[in-house]
Amino acid sequence: MAKITRPQRAKPVPVRKVAKTAKAAPGSASKTTAKQAAKAPKKPAGKPAKVAAKATAAKPAKTALKATRPWTPAEIREAFSRFAQANPEPKGELEHLNPYTLLVAVVLSAQATDAGVNKATRPLFAVADTPQKMIALGEDTVRDYIKTVGLFRTKAKNVIALSQKLINEFGGEVPRTRAELESLPGAGRKTANVVLNMAFGEHTMAVDTHVFRVGNRTGLAPGKTPLEVELGLEKVIPAEFMLHAHHWLILHGRYTCLARKPRCELCLIKDLCRWPEKTA
């Protein structure tokens, strides 16, 4: 007779007791927990729904900017033809008597208004319209003349230093190359471009805050830096308009395409402008 075997029940596995470690000092457990919590990624505060909604709403704006249709050569020519017809001989608003006083005026205009600079330079240029005369005045006297202009102490030093360098290295004359102009104290690329354009008739594009805004807002020459906008404008503007182009754009940004409240209803190029928020 075969032996009947019955399945045996599984024996319960004995639970090992974790060996006790030395007691932690009072408060150490809470400190460890706090450290772990600090390392753990934090969840954004506030209402997740609203944050997600804002993030979602921001994406279409970026896409729209990237998808902006660039200006055609015909449209660019039309825009500058309109500027030329409205103001055939635009003039810079910085008052000057010669290339040297223009150079000084542009150096003084950094972070200052043209009107404020003109107020200071009218009496200054009446007594010092050459590097030699400016040196004879001295830094203290120059500082007194321009004390109403922002950063006047630094600018007075630069005016004296650039005047001395003009005498020592350029025979008292304003140089006619960008590299030489940029080597002068207080003069940068924008200063060099203004002097080359206004004093010597070069086809340069001086990008100040107004030109930078117009280039980006209209879509004419978008760029993250003044240099990008400058090179973009030089690339697309027809040569026949380049002599006066930076003046037209400066004046347009100063009086029509304002930073906070653009006057789109008065804009000569509103039908060509790519700005999605234009009011006319």
Short mmCIF file of all heavy atoms in Angstrom, two decimals, residues 100 104 124 127-147 152-164 167:
data_model
loop_
_atom_site.label_atom_id
_atom_site.label_comp_id
_atom_site.label_asym_id
_atom_site.label_seq_id
_atom_site.Cartn_x
_atom_site.Cartn_y
_atom_site.Cartn_z
N TYR A 100 36.23 117.87 -33.99
CA TYR A 100 36.68 117.73 -32.59
C TYR A 100 35.54 117.96 -31.61
O TYR A 100 35.33 117.17 -30.68
CB TYR A 100 37.83 118.69 -32.30
CG TYR A 100 38.17 118.76 -30.82
CD1 TYR A 100 38.80 117.69 -30.19
CD2 TYR A 100 37.83 119.88 -30.06
CE1 TYR A 100 39.08 117.73 -28.82
CE2 TYR A 100 38.11 119.93 -28.71
CZ TYR A 100 38.73 118.86 -28.09
OH TYR A 100 39.01 118.89 -26.74
N VAL A 104 33.79 115.35 -28.86
CA VAL A 104 33.60 115.64 -27.44
C VAL A 104 32.12 115.55 -27.07
O VAL A 104 31.75 114.96 -26.05
CB VAL A 104 34.16 117.04 -27.08
CG1 VAL A 104 33.79 117.42 -25.65
CG2 VAL A 104 35.68 117.05 -27.25
N LEU A 124 31.03 125.89 -23.28
CA LEU A 124 32.34 125.23 -23.30
C LEU A 124 33.01 125.38 -24.66
O LEU A 124 34.19 125.77 -24.77
CB LEU A 124 32.19 123.75 -22.95
CG LEU A 124 33.46 122.89 -23.09
CD1 LEU A 124 34.54 123.37 -22.13
CD2 LEU A 124 33.14 121.41 -22.83
N VAL A 127 34.74 128.66 -25.77
CA VAL A 127 36.10 128.98 -25.32
C VAL A 127 37.11 127.89 -25.63
O VAL A 127 38.32 128.11 -25.54
CB VAL A 127 36.11 129.27 -23.79
CG1 VAL A 127 35.28 130.50 -23.48
CG2 VAL A 127 35.60 128.07 -23.00
N ALA A 128 36.61 126.70 -25.99
CA ALA A 128 37.54 125.58 -26.26
C ALA A 128 36.99 124.72 -27.39
O ALA A 128 36.23 123.78 -27.14
CB ALA A 128 37.76 124.74 -24.99
N ASP A 129 37.40 125.03 -28.61
CA ASP A 129 36.93 124.26 -29.77
C ASP A 129 38.05 123.47 -30.44
O ASP A 129 37.89 122.96 -31.54
CB ASP A 129 36.25 125.16 -30.79
CG ASP A 129 37.17 126.26 -31.30
OD1 ASP A 129 38.30 126.39 -30.77
OD2 ASP A 129 36.77 126.99 -32.23
N THR A 130 39.21 123.36 -29.75
CA THR A 130 40.33 122.56 -30.24
C THR A 130 40.92 121.79 -29.06
O THR A 130 40.72 122.19 -27.90
CB THR A 130 41.43 123.43 -30.87
OG1 THR A 130 42.03 124.24 -29.82
CG2 THR A 130 40.88 124.33 -31.97
N PRO A 131 41.65 120.71 -29.34
CA PRO A 131 42.29 119.97 -28.24
C PRO A 131 43.23 120.85 -27.42
O PRO A 131 43.29 120.73 -26.18
CB PRO A 131 43.05 118.86 -28.96
CG PRO A 131 42.38 118.71 -30.27
CD PRO A 131 41.88 120.07 -30.64
N GLN A 132 43.95 121.72 -28.08
CA GLN A 132 44.90 122.59 -27.39
C GLN A 132 44.20 123.52 -26.40
O GLN A 132 44.65 123.69 -25.24
CB GLN A 132 45.71 123.41 -28.41
CG GLN A 132 46.64 122.60 -29.29
CD GLN A 132 45.94 121.95 -30.49
OE1 GLN A 132 44.71 122.05 -30.65
NE2 GLN A 132 46.70 121.27 -31.34
N LYS A 133 43.09 124.11 -26.83
CA LYS A 133 42.35 125.02 -25.95
C LYS A 133 41.71 124.26 -24.78
O LYS A 133 41.61 124.79 -23.66
CB LYS A 133 41.28 125.75 -26.75
CG LYS A 133 41.83 126.75 -27.75
CD LYS A 133 40.70 127.40 -28.54
CE LYS A 133 41.23 128.37 -29.59
NZ LYS A 133 40.14 128.98 -30.40
N MET A 134 41.28 123.03 -25.04
CA MET A 134 40.67 122.22 -23.98
C MET A 134 41.71 121.86 -22.93
O MET A 134 41.44 121.93 -21.72
CB MET A 134 40.05 120.96 -24.57
CG MET A 134 39.05 120.27 -23.65
SD MET A 134 37.50 121.19 -23.42
CE MET A 134 36.68 120.92 -24.98
N ILE A 135 42.91 121.51 -23.36
CA ILE A 135 43.99 121.20 -22.42
C ILE A 135 44.33 122.44 -21.59
O ILE A 135 44.58 122.35 -20.39
CB ILE A 135 45.24 120.71 -23.18
CG1 ILE A 135 44.99 119.35 -23.85
CG2 ILE A 135 46.45 120.63 -22.25
CD1 ILE A 135 44.81 118.21 -22.88
N ALA A 136 44.33 123.60 -22.24
CA ALA A 136 44.65 124.84 -21.53
C ALA A 136 43.63 125.14 -20.44
O ALA A 136 43.97 125.70 -19.39
CB ALA A 136 44.72 126.00 -22.52
N LEU A 137 42.36 124.76 -20.67
CA LEU A 137 41.34 124.97 -19.64
C LEU A 137 41.62 124.13 -18.39
O LEU A 137 41.46 124.59 -17.27
CB LEU A 137 39.96 124.61 -20.18
CG LEU A 137 39.22 125.61 -21.06
CD1 LEU A 137 37.86 125.07 -21.42
CD2 LEU A 137 39.10 126.97 -20.40
N GLY A 138 42.03 122.89 -18.61
CA GLY A 138 42.30 122.00 -17.49
C GLY A 138 41.07 121.22 -17.05
O GLY A 138 39.93 121.64 -17.30
N GLU A 139 41.31 120.10 -16.40
CA GLU A 139 40.22 119.19 -16.02
C GLU A 139 39.22 119.84 -15.07
O GLU A 139 38.00 119.65 -15.21
CB GLU A 139 40.80 117.93 -15.38
CG GLU A 139 39.76 116.89 -15.05
CD GLU A 139 40.35 115.65 -14.41
OE1 GLU A 139 41.48 115.24 -14.80
OE2 GLU A 139 39.71 115.07 -13.50
N ASP A 140 39.69 120.61 -14.09
CA ASP A 140 38.78 121.21 -13.12
C ASP A 140 37.80 122.18 -13.78
O ASP A 140 36.61 122.18 -13.47
CB ASP A 140 39.58 121.95 -12.04
CG ASP A 140 40.35 121.00 -11.14
OD1 ASP A 140 40.03 119.79 -11.16
OD2 ASP A 140 41.27 121.45 -10.44
N THR A 141 38.30 122.98 -14.69
CA THR A 141 37.43 123.94 -15.37
C THR A 141 36.45 123.24 -16.30
O THR A 141 35.26 123.61 -16.35
CB THR A 141 38.28 124.96 -16.17
OG1 THR A 141 39.22 125.58 -15.29
CG2 THR A 141 37.40 126.02 -16.80
N VAL A 142 36.94 122.22 -17.01
CA VAL A 142 36.04 121.44 -17.88
C VAL A 142 34.93 120.81 -17.04
O VAL A 142 33.76 120.80 -17.43
CB VAL A 142 36.82 120.37 -18.65
CG1 VAL A 142 35.86 119.43 -19.39
CG2 VAL A 142 37.79 121.01 -19.63
N ARG A 143 35.30 120.31 -15.89
CA ARG A 143 34.31 119.69 -15.00
C ARG A 143 33.24 120.69 -14.59
O ARG A 143 32.05 120.35 -14.52
CB ARG A 143 35.02 119.11 -13.77
CG ARG A 143 34.09 118.31 -12.87
CD ARG A 143 34.87 117.54 -11.82
NE ARG A 143 35.64 118.41 -10.98
CZ ARG A 143 36.97 118.34 -10.82
NH1 ARG A 143 37.66 117.43 -11.48
NH2 ARG A 143 37.60 119.17 -10.03
N ASP A 144 33.65 121.93 -14.33
CA ASP A 144 32.66 122.96 -13.96
C ASP A 144 31.70 123.26 -15.10
O ASP A 144 30.52 123.50 -14.87
CB ASP A 144 33.39 124.24 -13.53
CG ASP A 144 34.11 124.09 -12.19
OD1 ASP A 144 33.73 123.19 -11.43
OD2 ASP A 144 35.05 124.87 -11.93
N TYR A 145 32.19 123.23 -16.32
CA TYR A 145 31.33 123.50 -17.48
C TYR A 145 30.28 122.39 -17.68
O TYR A 145 29.16 122.67 -18.11
CB TYR A 145 32.17 123.62 -18.75
CG TYR A 145 32.70 125.00 -19.02
CD1 TYR A 145 34.03 125.33 -18.77
CD2 TYR A 145 31.89 125.99 -19.56
CE1 TYR A 145 34.54 126.60 -19.03
CE2 TYR A 145 32.37 127.28 -19.83
CZ TYR A 145 33.70 127.57 -19.55
OH TYR A 145 34.18 128.84 -19.82
N ILE A 146 30.68 121.14 -17.41
CA ILE A 146 29.79 120.02 -17.75
C ILE A 146 29.16 119.37 -16.51
O ILE A 146 28.67 118.24 -16.58
CB ILE A 146 30.55 118.95 -18.56
CG1 ILE A 146 31.67 118.31 -17.71
CG2 ILE A 146 31.12 119.53 -19.83
CD1 ILE A 146 32.28 117.07 -18.35
N LYS A 147 29.14 120.09 -15.39
CA LYS A 147 28.66 119.48 -14.14
C LYS A 147 27.18 119.11 -14.15
O LYS A 147 26.70 118.37 -13.28
CB LYS A 147 28.97 120.40 -12.95
CG LYS A 147 28.30 121.76 -13.03
CD LYS A 147 28.78 122.65 -11.89
CE LYS A 147 28.18 124.05 -11.99
NZ LYS A 147 28.71 124.93 -10.92
N PHE A 152 29.75 113.48 -14.91
CA PHE A 152 30.58 114.59 -15.41
C PHE A 152 32.03 114.50 -14.95
O PHE A 152 32.94 114.93 -15.68
CB PHE A 152 29.97 115.93 -14.99
CG PHE A 152 30.01 116.22 -13.51
CD1 PHE A 152 31.03 116.96 -12.96
CD2 PHE A 152 29.01 115.76 -12.67
CE1 PHE A 152 31.06 117.25 -11.60
CE2 PHE A 152 29.03 116.03 -11.32
CZ PHE A 152 30.06 116.78 -10.77
N ARG A 153 32.30 113.91 -13.79
CA ARG A 153 33.70 113.82 -13.33
C ARG A 153 34.51 112.90 -14.24
O ARG A 153 35.60 113.25 -14.68
CB ARG A 153 33.75 113.32 -11.90
CG ARG A 153 33.21 114.31 -10.87
CD ARG A 153 33.39 113.80 -9.45
NE ARG A 153 32.93 114.77 -8.47
CZ ARG A 153 31.68 114.92 -8.07
NH1 ARG A 153 30.73 114.12 -8.59
NH2 ARG A 153 31.34 115.83 -7.19
N THR A 154 33.98 111.72 -14.52
CA THR A 154 34.66 110.78 -15.41
C THR A 154 34.78 111.35 -16.81
O THR A 154 35.82 111.21 -17.47
CB THR A 154 33.90 109.44 -15.45
OG1 THR A 154 33.85 108.88 -14.14
CG2 THR A 154 34.59 108.46 -16.39
N LYS A 155 33.73 112.01 -17.26
CA LYS A 155 33.74 112.55 -18.62
C LYS A 155 34.73 113.70 -18.76
O LYS A 155 35.36 113.86 -19.81
CB LYS A 155 32.33 113.00 -19.01
CG LYS A 155 31.38 111.83 -19.22
CD LYS A 155 29.96 112.28 -19.52
CE LYS A 155 29.04 111.09 -19.73
NZ LYS A 155 27.64 111.48 -19.98
N ALA A 156 34.91 114.50 -17.72
CA ALA A 156 35.90 115.58 -17.77
C ALA A 156 37.31 114.99 -17.91
O ALA A 156 38.13 115.50 -18.70
CB ALA A 156 35.81 116.44 -16.52
N LYS A 157 37.57 113.92 -17.19
CA LYS A 157 38.88 113.25 -17.32
C LYS A 157 39.07 112.73 -18.74
O LYS A 157 40.15 112.86 -19.32
CB LYS A 157 38.97 112.09 -16.32
CG LYS A 157 39.10 112.50 -14.88
CD LYS A 157 39.22 111.28 -13.97
CE LYS A 157 39.33 111.70 -12.51
NZ LYS A 157 39.43 110.52 -11.60
N ASN A 158 38.03 112.12 -19.29
CA ASN A 158 38.13 111.57 -20.65
C ASN A 158 38.35 112.65 -21.69
O ASN A 158 39.12 112.46 -22.64
CB ASN A 158 36.86 110.77 -20.98
CG ASN A 158 36.80 109.44 -20.25
OD1 ASN A 158 37.83 108.90 -19.85
ND2 ASN A 158 35.61 108.92 -20.07
N VAL A 159 37.67 113.78 -21.54
CA VAL A 159 37.81 114.87 -22.51
C VAL A 159 39.26 115.38 -22.52
O VAL A 159 39.85 115.61 -23.59
CB VAL A 159 36.82 116.01 -22.20
CG1 VAL A 159 37.17 117.27 -23.01
CG2 VAL A 159 35.40 115.58 -22.50
N ILE A 160 39.83 115.56 -21.34
CA ILE A 160 41.22 116.01 -21.27
C ILE A 160 42.16 114.94 -21.82
O ILE A 160 43.08 115.23 -22.59
CB ILE A 160 41.60 116.36 -19.81
CG1 ILE A 160 40.81 117.58 -19.34
CG2 ILE A 160 43.10 116.60 -19.68
CD1 ILE A 160 41.08 118.85 -20.11
N ALA A 161 41.91 113.68 -21.46
CA ALA A 161 42.79 112.59 -21.91
C ALA A 161 42.72 112.40 -23.42
O ALA A 161 43.75 112.20 -24.08
CB ALA A 161 42.42 111.29 -21.19
N LEU A 162 41.51 112.43 -23.99
CA LEU A 162 41.41 112.24 -25.44
C LEU A 162 42.01 113.44 -26.19
O LEU A 162 42.60 113.27 -27.26
CB LEU A 162 39.96 111.97 -25.86
CG LEU A 162 38.91 113.07 -25.88
CD1 LEU A 162 38.96 113.93 -27.13
CD2 LEU A 162 37.51 112.45 -25.76
N SER A 163 41.88 114.63 -25.60
CA SER A 163 42.48 115.82 -26.23
C SER A 163 44.00 115.70 -26.26
O SER A 163 44.64 116.02 -27.27
CB SER A 163 42.07 117.08 -25.46
OG SER A 163 40.67 117.25 -25.48
N GLN A 164 44.56 115.21 -25.15
CA GLN A 164 46.02 115.04 -25.09
C GLN A 164 46.48 113.97 -26.07
O GLN A 164 47.51 114.13 -26.73
CB GLN A 164 46.42 114.64 -23.66
CG GLN A 164 47.93 114.70 -23.41
CD GLN A 164 48.46 116.12 -23.53
OE1 GLN A 164 48.06 117.01 -22.78
NE2 GLN A 164 49.36 116.35 -24.49
N ILE A 167 46.60 115.30 -29.60
CA ILE A 167 47.79 116.13 -29.82
C ILE A 167 49.04 115.25 -29.97
O ILE A 167 49.85 115.45 -30.88
CB ILE A 167 47.97 117.12 -28.65
CG1 ILE A 167 46.81 118.12 -28.63
CG2 ILE A 167 49.31 117.85 -28.76
CD1 ILE A 167 46.76 118.99 -27.38
#
